[in-house]
Amino acid sequence: MKLSNYLCLGALALGALASCKDGQRSATNPGKESSTTGVEYNTEKGMQVSSYKGIPAGPGLVFIEGGRTVLGTQEEDVTLSHDNMERTVTIASFYMDEAEVANIHWLEYLHYIRTDSAEEFYKSALPDTTVWARDLSFNDPYVTYYLRYPGFRYFPVVGVSWLQANDYCTWRTAKVNEGLAGEINESSSKKKGGGLFSRKKKGDTAAEGTAAADSKNRISIENGNTLPNYRLPTEAEWEYAALALIGTQEVGNENQEEKRIYPWDGRTTRNAYGRKQGQFLANFKRGRGDYAGIAGSLNDGAMITEQIYAYPPNDYGLYNMAGNVNEWVQDVYRPLSYQDVEDLNPFRRNGVLDPADKYDKKGYQSLIDDKVRVYKGGSWRDVAYWLSPGTRRFMAQDSATATIGFRCAMINAGSNK
């Protein structure tokens, strides 16, 4: 064998040893030096690479494992809208709030923005409590008490528009990451005897590595110590999470052999098993004038909304993905979204295909434009048909009702699982 071949084999062996020593490179184990240039990280000449253990835990969130699924109407299209035909798509894994945003959460939001925002913005964030008022119904007490009375703390916030819900997501992102920044500052202070940005005297030996240490501790996207943005889920994400077909899937079987009409098994809205057999699984309107059943034998037990944890969760651990309140999603409404959007993480945004000028809103022949948003899930005031995740409706993004709330979602950054 030629000497050059021996040298090549030797180099390969050394490379293998180095690889074994550091282990396989990954986001959580990038190694001490670059695998392409050999330059050592976190030195004067090298790039700063912080330690990373994975995305921080987001308060209130549940992990939703993504995958291939069939979205669309699961029952007869009784409204003849034909706006959510079945199609196969893939949804990337993401996070979603385990329950709807409640009154106490919105009051917390109002508390903070009143102290650090303009009065004008605070007023714009107030829910429209008059959504409870009805000319021929005595719902007047809810106008005053539903949002602020302690007994309603964990009832879903309503009277919130799509625009207000988006503002809340923006604030929540900033507030949660502010908390993470405080944890980083505290940790850094304990290690170095000062705050994260504390000044060191010139010539202080402890200060020599401060720049590198601080750059690794600061809150930033590159350091992986921030959470991605809280946001409204896309319609596809919401529908996928609501169905929770992971609960019907056999391990090792790639065929999705069972479907669901609702976020639970079976074709009825009652619990079919155990001691709670016969009890309703969601808060909805059973029939004309029947919101809760007969005293002493109530059906879903709620005349209006109910607490956000009042009914059994689905197989992803999500509460009230059917009934209680409808929920805003990100998408602009179009009846043909199912055939226009992509088959990977489908999402309908403004100004792409199917333009608004095709719909005669000015001539009062249509309600559709680029400012109407989809809501899903059914509510305390809806019949069971709307509890199916495949159903969809729309409303103007600056409007609000007593039947629509929301929950937040977040991408699963840096992982396919």
Side-chain angles (χ1 to χ4, degrees):
M1 185 180 289
K2 293 182 180 180
L3 178 61
S4 59
N5 290 338
Y6 281 114
L7 291 172
C8 288
L9 287 171
L12 287 171
L14 287 171
L17 285 172
S19 177
C20 290
K21 183 179 179 181
D22 288 341
Q24 189 176 21
R25 300 296 179 91
S26 66
T28 56
N29 180 31
K32 294 182 179 179
E33 71 285 320
S34 169
S35 59
T36 54
T37 64
V39 177
E40 190 174 351
Y41 295 136
N42 301 322
T43 61
E44 185 178 347
K45 294 182 178 180
M47 181 176 71
Q48 300 302 317
V49 177
S50 62
S51 60
Y52 175 69
K53 296 181 180 179
I55 186 171
L61 297 176
V62 171
F63 177 69
I64 309 297
E65 183 179 8
R68 183 197 71 219
T69 192
V70 176
L71 298 182
T73 305
Q74 304 295 316
E75 279 275 77
E76 181 181 358
D77 186 7
V78 297
T79 62
L80 299 180
S81 57
H82 305 298
D83 65 349
N84 201 21
M85 306 293 283
E86 290 187 347
R87 70 279 187 196
T88 300
V89 301
T90 294
I91 309 295
S93 297
F94 62 102
Y95 292 89
M96 180 179 273
D97 277 340
E98 66 175 355
E100 298 141 342
V101 173
N103 286 324
I104 192 170
H105 305 135
W106 199 268
L107 290 172
E108 178 189 24
Y109 170 49
L110 294 176
H111 165 76
Y112 282 109
I113 64 173
R114 188 162 204 175
T115 61
D116 59 17
S117 300
E119 185 69 14
E120 182 180 2
F121 181 75
Y122 169 76
K123 289 180 178 179
S124 74
L126 293 171
D128 181 7
T129 58
T130 64
V131 295
W132 290 106
R134 310 283 291 184
D135 289 340
L136 298 176
S137 179
F138 186 64
N139 291 338
D140 305 44
Y142 300 131
V143 175
T144 303
Y145 290 101
Y146 182 81
L147 175 64
R148 300 182 185 277
Y149 187 73
F152 289 118
R153 280 174 178 165
Y154 275 90
F155 281 56
V157 67
V158 297
V160 172
S161 71
W162 182 92
L163 295 172
Q164 288 175 309
N166 271 274
D167 286 340
Y168 174 86
C169 292
T170 301
W171 168 84
R172 185 175 173 185
T173 302
K175 198 64 184 175
V176 171
N177 281 329
E178 180 184 308
L180 290 174
E183 292 175 11
I184 293 295
N185 281 337
E186 184 178 354
S187 174
S188 177
S189 177
K190 288 179 180 178
K191 289 180 181 179
K192 298 194 299 248
L196 179 59
F197 302 111
S198 59
R199 296 182 179 180
K200 301 290 183 180
K201 294 180 181 179
K202 191 173 182 180
D204 189 343
T205 55
E208 298 299 324
T210 299
D214 281 356
S215 66
K216 288 191 291 181
N217 285 328
R218 287 195 181 99
I219 287 286
S220 69
I221 293 177
E222 291 80 4
N223 287 345
N225 50 20
T226 62
L227 278 171
N229 292 340
Y230 284 88
R231 57 175 173 79
L232 292 177
T234 66
E235 181 179 4
E237 287 175 335
W238 194 99
E239 188 173 328
Y240 176 82
L243 284 170
L245 292 176
I246 193 171
T248 68
Q249 195 64 24
E250 295 180 12
V251 177
N253 182 4
E254 279 212 62
N255 295 319
Q256 200 168 68
E257 296 173 348
E258 295 188 43
K259 290 187 176 181
R260 282 176 169 166
I261 301 172
Y262 306 112
W264 52 80
D265 292 338
R267 300 184 64 84
T268 72
T269 54
R270 295 179 185 268
N271 192 331
Y273 311 102
R275 291 183 301 172
K276 296 185 177 180
Q277 184 175 1
Q279 292 187 10
F280 279 85
L281 294 166
N283 175 17
F284 65 103
K285 184 178 179 179
R286 192 166 71 169
R288 182 172 295 177
D290 184 1
Y291 289 86
I294 298 172
S297 184
L298 297 177
N299 49 53
D300 63 46
M303 285 70 172
I304 54 166
T305 55
E306 180 55 284
Q307 295 193 57
I308 59 176
Y309 300 112
Y311 302 90
N314 71 6
D315 286 315
Y316 274 125
L318 303 171
Y319 292 84
N320 288 299
M321 294 299 283
N324 213 23
V325 289
N326 292 286
E327 297 178 18
W328 289 114
V329 296
Q330 280 198 51
D331 299 52
V332 168
Y333 177 82
R334 287 292 188 277
L336 299 182
S337 287
Y338 69 90
Q339 70 179 25
D340 290 340
V341 295
E342 300 277 354
D343 58 4
L344 173 63
N345 298 324
F347 169 59
R348 165 68 76 179
R349 65 181 81 240
N350 284 336
V352 180
L353 300 176
D354 203 6
D357 57 17
K358 286 187 177 181
Y359 299 89
D360 185 16
K361 189 168 185 178
K362 291 183 178 179
Y364 303 101
Q365 301 301 307
S366 173
L367 296 173
I368 299 173
D369 61 15
D370 286 339
K371 294 182 179 180
V372 292
R373 302 287 174 168
V374 178
Y375 64 90
K376 297 175 73 72
S379 77
W380 59 274
R381 195 166 187 151
D382 292 317
V383 294
Y385 172 78
W386 297 107
L387 304 185
S388 178
T391 57
R392 60 201 301 253
R393 287 175 284 181
F394 64 91
M395 193 169 70
Q397 64 186 21
D398 59 355
S399 298
T401 78
T403 63
I404 301 181
F406 72 101
R407 73 182 73 209
C408 301
M410 180 186 292
I411 65 167
N412 180 34
S415 173
N416 284 315
K417 296 181 180 179

